[in-house]
Amino acid sequence: MSRRRVQRPSLLRFREPEVARVRELLGEMVGRRVVVVGDATLDAYVVGEVERISPEAPVPVLAVEREEFMLGGAANVAKCLVALGAQARLCTVIGDDADGAIFRSEATNLGIAQAGILSDRERLTTRETRIVARHQQVIRLDRETVAPLSAALEKRLRARIASAVRAADAVILSDYAKGVLTPAVCRAVIAAAGSRPVLVDPKSLPWEPFRGATVLKPNLREAESFAGRLLASSDDASRAALAMAAELGVGHVLITRGQA
C-alpha cells in the first residue's frame, strides 16, 4: 500500500480567491468519486404558525402546516457533493428504526450510494427536529445515540470503508461527535486511502486519530480549543495552524472564521 507523503507545513497568507478560479475548481468535481465517512443525521423541520398561548402553560401553540426531512451531518456533505456533480458514497451507521427508513429513502432520492450505510438495532438514527414558527426556530429536539460503535459494528464499518475507498478519488471525514468516527475507524480510513487525499472536518478533541490526513479544517472555536488560547488575529490563527499541522502530521490546515 502506498504511503501518503505529507509536505512540511509552511505559513501561508490568505488571499481572496478569484471567482473564475473557484468556478473552475467546482466544475472539476463532476464525475469525481468521493467517499464520505462520519456521523450522519436526519434533519426534520416542523413548520407552522403560532397564534395563541397554551392554557396549560405559558408556551406557544404551533399549528403545524408541514413537516420536512433533509439529510444532515456527514450525509449533508454527500448531498452537496452530488449537487456538484460528484459520485458520493456515504459510510456511516444509522438506527434500524423508522427514522432510518426515512434517511435511506432521502439518500436514494438524492442518488447517494448506500452500500456503506449500516443499520444497528442498538442505536438510534440521529434526528434533529427543529420547530419553526414564521421562519423563527422555537426549539430543537435531538434524538440520538452518541456512544462509540461496538467492536463488532466498528469492524463491519471498516470493511465497508476499505471496499469503498478502493474506487475513490478522495475521502472526507465528517466528525459530529456522535460516535461513528472512532480512533480505529479514522486510522483505517487514512491507511486505506493511501495516496488519495483525505480531508477532515474535526469536532471534539483529541485529533490524534487524524494524523497523516491531507487537510484538517477546524473552525475558529475548535482551533482555539486545540491551541488552548484565543486566536484574536489572523496572525494568531496562522501560527496556530502551522503548529497544528506540525504536531498532527497533516499536510494542510484551514481554519474557518465561523464559531460553529
Side-chain angles (χ1 to χ4, degrees):
M1 181 179 297
S2 60
R3 297 172 62 88
R4 182 181 302 100
R5 298 179 64 182
V6 177
Q7 297 179 348
R8 185 184 299 276
S10 59
L11 188 62
L12 298 176
R13 299 293 180 184
F14 175 78
R15 293 186 298 175
E16 192 72 27
E18 297 179 358
V19 174
R21 179 57 177 159
V22 172
R23 289 176 176 169
E24 179 184 352
L25 292 172
L26 292 177
E28 292 179 1
M29 287 300 300
V30 176
R32 298 288 186 178
R33 298 163 298 180
V34 184
V35 173
V36 181
V37 185
D39 305 292
T41 68
L42 180 66
D43 291 346
Y45 294 83
V46 180
V47 182
E49 291 286 340
V50 172
E51 296 181 347
R52 62 191 180 95
I53 301 298
S54 171
E56 303 168 350
V59 296
V61 175
L62 182 78
V64 177
E65 297 176 350
R66 67 184 188 277
E67 188 170 3
E68 303 172 351
F69 296 98
M70 301 180 185
L71 298 185
N76 181 59
V77 176
K79 179 173 66 175
C80 292
L81 287 166
V82 170
L84 291 172
Q87 300 175 29
R89 185 167 180 177
L90 178 63
C91 294
T92 189
V93 178
I94 60 175
D96 185 11
D97 50 23
D99 285 339
I102 296 172
F103 182 98
R104 287 187 179 275
S105 177
E106 290 294 314
T108 297
N109 292 338
L110 290 167
I112 297 172
Q114 297 188 48
I117 301 177
L118 301 179
S119 297
D120 180 36
R121 294 180 179 179
E122 302 302 319
R123 299 179 74 87
L124 298 172
T125 299
T126 299
R127 173 171 171 163
E128 298 179 351
T129 303
R130 296 160 177 83
I131 310 301
V132 182
R134 292 192 178 184
H135 310 293
Q136 178 67 48
Q137 188 174 147
V138 178
I139 192 172
R140 195 181 92 179
L141 312 175
D142 287 4
R143 180 179 182 269
E144 61 187 5
T145 300
V146 297
L149 304 181
S150 66
L153 189 57
E154 183 182 76
K155 183 178 180 179
R156 290 176 57 203
L157 181 61
R158 288 168 58 186
R160 297 291 178 92
I161 292 168
S163 175
V165 169
R166 280 196 291 268
D169 295 310
V171 185
I172 296 175
L173 293 175
S174 183
D175 185 15
Y176 283 82
K178 307 294 186 185
V180 171
L181 288 184
T182 64
V185 167
C186 294
R187 288 192 290 267
V189 170
I190 294 173
S195 60
R196 301 172 183 86
V198 177
L199 294 79
V200 181
D201 188 357
K203 192 71 172 177
S204 303
L205 296 173
W207 294 343
E208 179 61 29
F210 302 132
R211 175 173 295 279
T214 311
V215 178
L216 188 72
K217 189 213 71 63
N219 62 33
L220 184 60
R221 183 171 60 184
E222 293 160 350
E224 288 176 340
S225 294
F226 183 92
R229 58 187 175 86
L230 293 177
L231 305 177
S233 67
S234 295
D235 285 345
D236 284 346
S238 296
R239 285 189 287 269
L242 188 61
M244 198 180 302
E247 183 173 338
L248 296 175
V250 299
H252 309 276
V253 174
L254 172 65
I255 298 176
T256 58
R257 301 304 294 266
Q259 294 289 336

